[in-house]
Amino acid sequence: MSGLARVVVHPPSPTGGRRVTAGAEILGVAYGVVDLVEFLRRAGMDPDDVRLDDPGLIDWRGGGPGVWG
């Protein structure tokens, strides 16, 4: 992850989507896995190396990758 803090995918909001942060930086609001992977790519990660089930990389709060709203 070289320099990027652990990613947190926050619980779904009442209006839809999940806030995604890395440390104090807000990466965006994801409405699905495609959005999340794009945010991680923009943050400097290689999408081919991203494992959404890696607890060392992503802290899923309020449900895993199948829960978006």
Side-chain angles (χ1 to χ4, degrees):
M1 218 165 42
S2 83
L4 184 64
R6 186 167 182 215
V7 174
V8 176
V9 180
H10 297 268
S13 76
T15 57
R18 298 175 76 166
R19 187 168 42 103
V20 180
T21 59
E25 181 180 359
I26 297 173
L27 302 180
V29 176
Y31 293 89
V33 171
V34 173
D35 293 336
L36 174 60
V37 171
E38 176 61 14
F39 295 152
L40 298 178
R41 184 195 66 76
R42 291 180 189 176
M45 297 181 67
D46 182 346
D48 293 332
D49 294 335
V50 171
R51 283 189 38 231
L52 299 179
D53 63 346
D54 179 357
L57 172 65
I58 300 175
D59 179 8
W60 292 93
R61 298 184 182 171
V67 179
W68 293 97

